Amino acid sequence: MIRAPRSSGPSRRMVTSSAAPPTAAEVTMAPAAGRASVTGEHSHHRCPNGYVALTYDDGPTAATLPALLDQLRAAGARATFFIQGNNAEARPDLVRAEQRAGMWIGNHTDTHPHLPDLGELAAFKEILGTQRTLRRITGRPPTLFRPPYGETNDQVRRDETRLRLLEVLWTVDSRDWAGATTDEIVAAARTLQPGGIILMHDWAQASVDAVPRIVGDLRERGLCPGRIAFTPKKVPFGETYFHATAVAP
């Protein structure tokens, strides 16, 4: 897990792949059940420059998630949570709280391993197990998947295709996993461009505290938090690429 130690955030060991994007990647995440939106649909007038995606990995974390949801609701923002299956099993009530708050829920494997280092069967089980767990808790299977550490390869992408999952990496790293301060996280978020996706973690208190300033800065720039969907465009990620972008909720 990324919390042991917490400084072991996204790996600098990038695993590359020349594989084509999953053919089923056009599947996008529907709004969570319960409250459809915390603020209603954003208008073009309010978001003239488009949308970005706020994402939080590794949870749900009991110590920080309630405050994070409160901050997002207060800011009128929705985010995508990439959830570990073992944490969801331990706190299904918190997964449901995310769902009730109108957040989107994605798969982040069961135990946060280095997927390319596993055999094909073990890697597939890591993803499938969390699919089943989250479907049982939320009533629907996730359609978004983030490989731990951003490590992907042909094998991982075959598994994603098999499970009809859209691979979601990121365009901005907040580095909250490395101990970035709230000011540093806010500064990182200021580099988001339309369609961009920022990596954060639900256990990082600095990222919780950054929410009001991040959302405020986005609005000053004519941007709004949105959901994640497939794009045919190749989005660069180290020596590889992915096919996900932020769009209107």
Side-chain angles (χ1 to χ4, degrees), residues 9 11 22 26 60 85 91 106 116 120 155 186 228 235:
S11 172
E26 291 83 353
R91 294 303 303 268
E120 185 172 359
Q155 171 190 297
V186 171
I228 296 170
V235 182

Side-chain angles (χ1 to χ4, degrees), residues 27-33 81 83 95 99 104-108 127-145 162-166:
V27 180
T28 58
M29 188 70 174
F81 287 80
I83 294 176
V95 178
Q99 190 178 32
W104 297 283
I105 294 172
N107 184 327
H108 197 43
I127 305 169
L128 176 62
T130 298
Q131 283 294 98
R132 290 173 171 171
T133 295
L134 293 176
R135 181 169 188 168
R136 185 176 69 253
I137 293 170
T138 68
R140 65 186 66 191
T143 61
L144 304 179
F145 174 69
R162 184 176 173 186
L163 294 170
R164 299 181 62 80
L165 288 165
L166 173 62

Side-chain angles (χ1 to χ4, degrees), residues 186-224:
V186 171
R190 288 195 187 110
T191 69
L192 281 165
Q193 297 302 308
I197 300 169
I198 185 170
L199 169 72
M200 295 178 283
H201 296 80
D202 84 338
W203 48 258
Q205 185 61 50
S207 285
V208 176
D209 296 338
V211 169
R213 292 170 60 191
I214 288 174
V215 177
D217 285 350
L218 289 174
R219 287 177 177 153
E220 288 181 3
R221 297 170 57 203
L223 296 165
C224 293

Side-chain angles (χ1 to χ4, degrees), residues 32-49:
R35 179 163 46 183
S37 170
V38 291
T39 59
E41 295 301 320
H42 292 293
S43 68
H44 177 74
H45 177 71
R46 289 185 58 196
C47 313
N49 295 326

